[in-house]
Amino acid sequence: MKFSQRICSMQASPIRKLAPYAAEAKEKGKKIYFLNIGQPDIKTPQAFFDAVGNFKNEVLAYGSSEGDTRLIDAICNYYKDYGVELGREHVFITAGASEAIVFAFAALCDPGDEILVPEPFYANYNPFSQCVSAKIVPITTRAEEGFRLPSVESMEEKITPRTKAIVMCHPGNPTGIVYTREEMERVAALARKHDFFIIADEVYREFVYNNLEYVSFGNLKDVEDRVVILDSVSKRYSACGARIGCVISKNKELMAQILKLCQSRTSPPTLDQEGAVALYSTPKSYLQEVNKEYEKRRDIMYRALKDMSGVICEEPKGAFYMMVKLPVDNAEKFIVWMLQDFDLNGETVMASPGEGFYATPGLGRDEVRLAYVLKEQDLSRAMEILKAGLEAYPGRTAPVIAN
Amino acid sequence: MKFSQRICSMQASPIRKLAPYAAEAKEKGKKIYFLNIGQPDIKTPQAFFDAVGNFKNEVLAYGSSEGDTRLIDAICNYYKDYGVELGREHVFITAGASEAIVFAFAALCDPGDEILVPEPFYANYNPFSQCVSAKIVPITTRAEEGFRLPSVESMEEKITPRTKAIVMCHPGNPTGIVYTREEMERVAALARKHDFFIIADEVYREFVYNNLEYVSFGNLKDVEDRVVILDSVSKRYSACGARIGCVISKNKELMAQILKLCQSRTSPPTLDQEGAVALYSTPKSYLQEVNKEYEKRRDIMYRALKDMSGVICEEPKGAFYMMVKLPVDNAEKFIVWMLQDFDLNGETVMASPGEGFYATPGLGRDEVRLAYVLKEQDLSRAMEILKAGLEAYPGRTAPVIAN
């Protein structure tokens, strides 16, 4: 019996594939600090649970395929504060940003069509594109260059007649990059010149540090008709389990096409939309406090890593991840070793292997993605453990030099 | 700017495409009896809402990609009563059966691969297959023959080296067919002989009437490794808005492949899974009562239709739909006319146009799908309105003959 080539060639999620090793370690009584997954420990606003508890209909019915109008209005309202004027017709609610991505890919790409993505990138773009048989074409960026976009010329080399879109994760997962307006306009100019879409994954838009200005792709007027924004409440309000996201575009024809996909799966979850409506009335101060908290965590992780012999990384400016080069023979081997063979007083750390965040073969083999989603004290402890693990790891590739 | 061919060729959902006409009629003050969508009016068991309300975690976190173990166990337990022995490794929770279908199609088909489906079929199989560029190959069945499967020979004519699966909706939406064991074994023999999978959409498994025996494809031992069951709480417990379904297979290799898809979208909604666990502890008497209620409704609708001049239909044996041939020039035109131009004391009826349930061009143009999901009294009234509408419709194709 044969399965599809698309599924056989799919790599397991680097964020989740090592979960069985973690489960095994846990069973043996080890405490694990999870830095592999972007699961914040911040309390979900109580308003979510209250709204869900207040649901009074006797029948938990399908909602509208476009999503709950109150939630759509709340999202339009949210974007208004950022200078992006949206009408109800520009927003459809989806099952997390994940569904929004698949919808965008399916609507823009036929089998063999190409999607540009600066790499390293959110690993799940791979299976999402493979699901619709589209091809990810990576634009390599490097830690040493702060993961900045390359020149127009070297980006243009990757464009073919089959290029249908570029995915811009902004702020970037896993690099933490926040693009400058100039970089964004470089992308916009290419999109206009070569007639492709910009799929802007802006789920981390509230996580920007160093008082940097954040510009949304929705703010670029001259590509208004070729921008698709993906968004979600998951990270913004620490409500990952709600699976509520949205797809946004001012291109009416595109939205008419995407509506067919929305209708095919009937509707997003009803109760979670109730909760999400309430989330959007959370005072802005919540987001500011969360932002401050993450900036503190970022500082703790970055400083600790800078202090580890042989570790190479850049200060991330947004989101809550870092791509980190480790002095190890193979990052995946190292992570498994940390789970199976290492502990510091019964505790260890789990990271995501970096290779899965690259499309170019061979890249990222000695890198990991770390999420700084734990409380200060836990994060500091996790860094101690990582440091000790790196020093003890048999596959270490560089001598330990005391700072 | 161009969109994908796959999306441009996608038909809008026949179940949802006429929603704007209904909204307009509603605004004008018309009361509409909705027979177009399988949205039951049965009360969702209170246990669902209680379980959701009792959720005590402060963080609404991602769940496991496979789904909540308690829910998986509950499903295994449920199937045990039907003679289908499942382990945890055979069940993954999905966002409704919709996601389960897409996962099955993506795992089995590459672009251009073929999926057999007896037609008329659940219209959304079309966009789901188009999403992964697979091709639906219809096996036509006819109302006049009770929608029974054709002979092995005529089914075999549709099989090619690219046939990867057959979808068996059982009991059937929209036909209401309940397959005999002999029919199922005919399908199983073909699947073995030509090496393809059986995707059994069993979301209506509790809705079987006339005291008929219901056999699950999970009961066929000799195709155990090539059966994929799709299931959902939506209809069973009147919890459509929960969007909780599952994909089931005893083929370990296939499940390992599908797990990649599960991981790519992180996890199904957390709270809805809490609720679904509770649903599965609903006493069996609930399902029996619901079943009785639907059988009564089926009788009301079927008798009323039999009494309408020029209407052709078969008594459905399961699910809660009927495919009905109307004496009209065009069923879609008729439905729009009912919404825009007709009312009986300010009330009208909405149906789904039949054409979208067929893949063979031209079929179903004078058919509608009716869902008997309303209370007795409402259903009787809806039938009166439909009868009056059919008699008054200017595009009627047969004279009204009094019974």
Side-chain angles (χ1 to χ4, degrees), chain A residues 246-263:
Chain A
C246 63
V247 56
I248 300 174
S249 177
K250 289 200 174 181
N251 187 313
K252 273 186 190 180
E253 278 181 80
L254 176 64
M255 290 306 269
Q257 299 295 345
I258 290 179
L259 181 58
K260 296 179 195 170
L261 294 167
C262 292
Q263 291 183 335

Side-chain angles (χ1 to χ4, degrees), chain B residues 265-283:
Chain B
R265 55 59 162 145
T266 59
S267 65
T270 300
L271 282 185
D272 295 291
Q273 290 187 86
E274 289 287 324
V277 174
L279 286 179
Y280 273 98
S281 63
T282 307

Side-chain angles (χ1 to χ4, degrees), chain A residues 360-373:
Chain A
T360 304
L363 290 185
R365 213 161 276 173
D366 57 352
E367 296 179 25
V368 292
R369 187 192 74 167
L370 299 178
Y372 40 100
V373 289

Side-chain angles (χ1 to χ4, degrees), chain A residues 84-364:
Chain A
V84 184
E85 294 284 341
L86 298 172
R88 280 185 185 169
E89 67 279 18
H90 302 136
V91 183
F92 296 147
I93 309 303
T94 54
S98 299
E99 189 177 60
I101 298 172
V102 176
F103 284 0
F105 285 180
L108 298 175
C109 298
D110 281 310
D113 283 346
E114 295 167 7
I115 301 163
L116 299 171
V117 191
E119 74 177 347
F121 56 81
Y122 177 49
N124 286 326
Y125 295 155
N126 278 322
F128 294 142
S129 65
Q130 285 165 316
C131 232
V132 299
S133 301
K135 195 181 149 198
I136 295 277
V137 176
I139 297 169
T140 307
T141 69
R142 291 171 207 286
E144 295 79 357
E145 294 155 13
F147 298 112
R148 308 255 53 116
L149 287 182
S151 66
V152 169
E153 294 70 34
S154 64
M155 285 175 78
E156 224 156 16
E157 273 170 27
K158 303 286 190 134
I159 297 170
T160 78
R162 303 213 64 168
T163 306
K164 295 300 164 73
I166 186 167
V167 180
M168 298 294 292
C169 187
H170 184 223
N173 169 8
T175 64
I177 192 167
V178 174
Y179 293 107
T180 63
R181 188 179 269 271
E182 186 281 320
E183 275 173 306
M184 292 167 67
E185 278 169 0
R186 211 186 304 161
V187 170
L190 281 175
R192 278 199 312 274
K193 181 174 171 193
H194 298 279
D195 191 21
F196 59 76
F197 277 81
I198 300 167
I199 300 174
D201 181 346
E202 300 194 351
V203 302
Y204 295 100
R205 58 195 342 279
E206 292 293 343
F207 301 89
V208 176
Y209 315 117
N210 303 36
N211 289 314
L212 280 180
E213 188 204 1
Y214 175 75
V215 183
S216 163
F217 278 94
N219 294 124
L220 304 186
K221 288 278 169 212
D222 56 359
V223 281
E224 219 174 48
D225 56 341
R226 54 177 78 247
V227 164
V228 183
I229 299 176
L230 317 172
D231 203 351
S232 156
V233 299
S234 296
K235 316 292 173 169
R236 184 165 307 150
Y237 295 112
S238 195
C240 298
R243 313 309 302 123
I244 294 294
C246 63
V247 56
I248 300 174
S249 177
K250 289 200 174 181
N251 187 313
K252 273 186 190 180
E253 278 181 80
L254 176 64
M255 290 306 269
Q257 299 295 345
I258 290 179
L259 181 58
K260 296 179 195 170
L261 294 167
C262 292
Q263 291 183 335
S264 74
R265 55 60 162 145
T266 60
S267 64
T270 300
L271 282 185
D272 294 291
Q273 290 187 85
E274 290 287 326
V277 173
L279 286 180
Y280 273 98
S281 63
T282 307
K284 278 265 179 319
S285 57
Y286 169 89
L287 295 174
Q288 286 154 3
E289 277 163 40
V290 170
N291 188 292
K292 252 188 248 165
E293 173 66 22
Y294 277 104
E295 186 154 5
K296 227 186 305 178
R297 294 172 177 190
R298 192 265 323 250
D299 291 344
I300 290 169
M301 183 178 272
Y302 179 59
R303 277 184 211 141
L305 289 167
K306 274 304 198 195
D307 205 42
M308 291 182 206
S309 172
V311 168
I312 297 167
C313 64
E314 277 287 308
E315 183 189 59
K317 300 295 190 289
F320 40 62
Y321 307 99
M322 294 183 70
M323 278 304 273
V324 184
K325 218 181 261 274
L326 300 179
V328 299
D329 53 349
N330 179 299
E332 185 167 329
K333 252 178 69 188
F334 170 68
I335 296 162
V336 171
W337 178 83
M338 286 288 284
L339 293 168
Q340 288 192 321
D341 303 311
F342 181 80
D343 71 85
L344 197 63
N345 296 328
E347 301 184 337
T348 192
V349 158
M350 183 169 183
S352 286
E355 203 175 352
F357 296 88
Y358 287 86
T360 304
L363 290 185

Side-chain angles (χ1 to χ4, degrees), chain A residues 4-6 106 110 132 260 272, chain B residues 4-6 106 110 132 272:
Chain A
S4 65
Q5 285 170 29
R6 90 168 88 228
D110 281 310
V132 299
K260 296 179 195 170
D272 294 291
Chain B
S4 64
Q5 285 169 30
R6 91 168 88 228
D110 280 310
V132 300
D272 295 291

